[in-house]
Amino acid sequence: MLKKVLEDVLTVKESDELISAFDQIGDIIIVRIPESLLSKKKIIGQSLLDQVKIARSVFYQTSSVEGDFRTRDLEILAGEDNTETEYKEFGCKFTVDVKNAFFSPRLSTERERIANLIQNGETVTNMFAGIGMFSIMAAKKKKCTVYSIDINPVASKLCEKNIGLNKMIGEVISINGDASEIIKNQLIDKSDRTLMLLPERSDEFLQSAINTTKNGGIIHYYSHIHADKKSDAGKLSEEHYLKITPVQSEILKSKIVRAVGPRYYQTVVDVKIFK
């Protein structure tokens, strides 16, 4: 779609250099531009703003998502310089700050999958909850209790706001702080199900996930896996988990969540643990 929108602005060669996908989050567009086309970034931004009718702002992503707060640097290219927007997904409403709190529209299918797996009566620990999307979608569908933890105070405040925006049959409890410390002080053996949505650091936090999960409970262990063949990524992530886990575990399922780079994949392994 991006190449089609810009076909009157860029040459064929330039169009081939442009990353074809961009993220549209509510009325905000975030675009990644190769270095060779940075001289045309303002033209690209204005063209997107003109052609995508519901767009209010176009930002160029100048850094990857990084740091404990999982934020990214954005440069305004066209439109209003405001990084907050409203976003809807599967009947839920969210206020999102695309610069100051982690959010990815590319996890929508995984959010729906997890919400459908959670059962009525479960207690869930969401260790890296961001603005609360996984947590709120689960509590909208199921009569569950979700401890929604994030170290980023902006993300936690948005989670609290988003709780108020949605009617839920379950309960979401937003907690700001380090997941390991919160679990150690408040949530030992509390969880029937634990989400580890920090794939680049899951090994570091696995013991904390085990600590909060009851005997016989389920951990959704996310990781980044290199695989020469896409079809091997799920199996490789299972092997990695079994190599590092300190507890007896039963693999329930593994799958690719999304591609994150050439031959790199975000995967999830659903495991039942025994301790």
Side-chain angles (χ1 to χ4, degrees):
M1 178 181 176
L2 183 54
K3 289 185 179 182
K4 183 172 180 58
V5 168
L6 297 170
E7 61 187 1
D8 295 331
V9 176
L10 304 178
T11 67
V12 172
K13 182 180 178 182
E14 288 173 334
S15 182
D16 288 340
E17 292 175 358
L18 190 66
I19 299 170
S20 60
F22 62 89
D23 288 336
Q24 184 170 342
I25 303 164
D27 55 10
I28 289 176
I29 290 173
I30 299 174
V31 63
R32 297 163 187 82
I33 302 173
E35 189 173 345
S36 60
L37 294 180
L38 286 180
S39 63
K40 293 188 174 183
K41 63 185 179 181
K42 292 289 187 180
I43 299 172
I44 291 170
Q46 191 61 51
S47 297
L48 286 169
L49 188 68
D50 293 341
Q51 294 296 321
V52 182
K53 297 305 180 186
I54 68 167
R56 166 179 55 86
S57 307
V58 180
F59 290 94
Y60 159 49
Q61 182 168 324
T62 61
S63 76
S64 58
V65 174
E66 55 194 6
D68 288 344
F69 288 2
R70 295 185 291 169
T71 57
R72 56 187 165 185
D73 293 329
L74 299 175
E75 177 187 334
I76 186 69
L77 295 182
E80 183 180 338
D81 189 3
N82 180 357
T83 57
E84 275 200 13
T85 188
E86 300 298 319
Y87 178 82
K88 295 181 180 179
E89 186 173 292
F90 297 114
C92 296
K93 295 182 291 185
F94 301 94
T95 298
V96 177
D97 187 328
V98 296
K99 180 178 182 180
N100 296 307
F102 176 76
F103 169 77
S104 173
R106 302 181 186 196
L107 295 175
S108 59
T109 301
E110 182 64 7
R111 285 190 279 265
E112 184 182 36
R113 184 183 81 93
I114 293 296
N116 288 331
L117 286 175
I118 292 170
Q119 301 299 306
N120 288 325
E122 282 190 1
T123 297
V124 180
T125 299
N126 187 355
M127 293 177 64
F128 314 104
I131 64 170
M133 294 193 66
F134 275 85
S135 305
I136 289 165
M137 287 179 64
K140 187 175 182 69
K141 281 177 171 280
K142 305 291 174 61
K143 194 173 177 59
C144 59
T145 299
V146 186
Y147 292 98
S148 195
I149 307 169
D150 204 277
I151 197 170
N152 182 348
V154 174
S156 294
K157 286 184 183 299
L158 287 171
C159 181
E160 292 171 6
K161 181 176 181 178
N162 291 329
I163 290 168
L165 291 176
N166 292 278
K167 293 182 178 180
M168 298 175 285
I169 58 174
E171 181 183 17
V172 176
I173 301 167
S174 179
I175 305 174
N176 178 233
D178 179 87
S180 294
E181 292 299 313
I182 299 296
I183 287 168
K184 182 174 70 174
N185 296 326
Q186 302 179 41
L187 300 176
I188 296 292
D189 290 327
K190 284 277 191 180
S191 180
D192 299 292
R193 188 182 302 269
T194 300
L195 305 180
M196 298 187 67
L197 287 149
L198 189 63
E200 62 273 21
R201 297 177 65 187
S202 288
D203 292 4
E204 177 184 342
F205 288 96
L206 179 56
Q207 186 60 59
S208 293
I210 292 167
N211 291 344
T212 192
T213 308
K214 299 173 184 176
N215 181 43
I218 294 170
I219 294 175
H220 299 283
Y221 173 87
Y222 295 83
S223 60
H224 285 163
I225 291 291
H226 176 269
D228 290 329
K229 293 182 180 179
K230 182 178 180 180
S231 58
D232 292 339
K235 186 65 175 177
L236 289 171
S237 62
E238 291 179 19
E239 292 173 357
H240 176 75
Y241 170 82
L242 291 172
K243 181 180 179 180
I244 67 165
T245 184
V247 295
Q248 182 183 349
S249 303
E250 176 190 349
I251 303 289
L252 303 176
K253 181 184 178 67
S254 64
K255 68 184 286 284
I256 295 171
V257 177
R258 57 175 178 157
V260 293
R263 294 190 291 278
Y264 271 92
Y265 304 93
Q266 181 177 338
T267 60
V268 59
V269 182
D270 302 342
V271 297
K272 180 180 286 190
I273 66 165
F274 304 95
K275 56 182 185 176

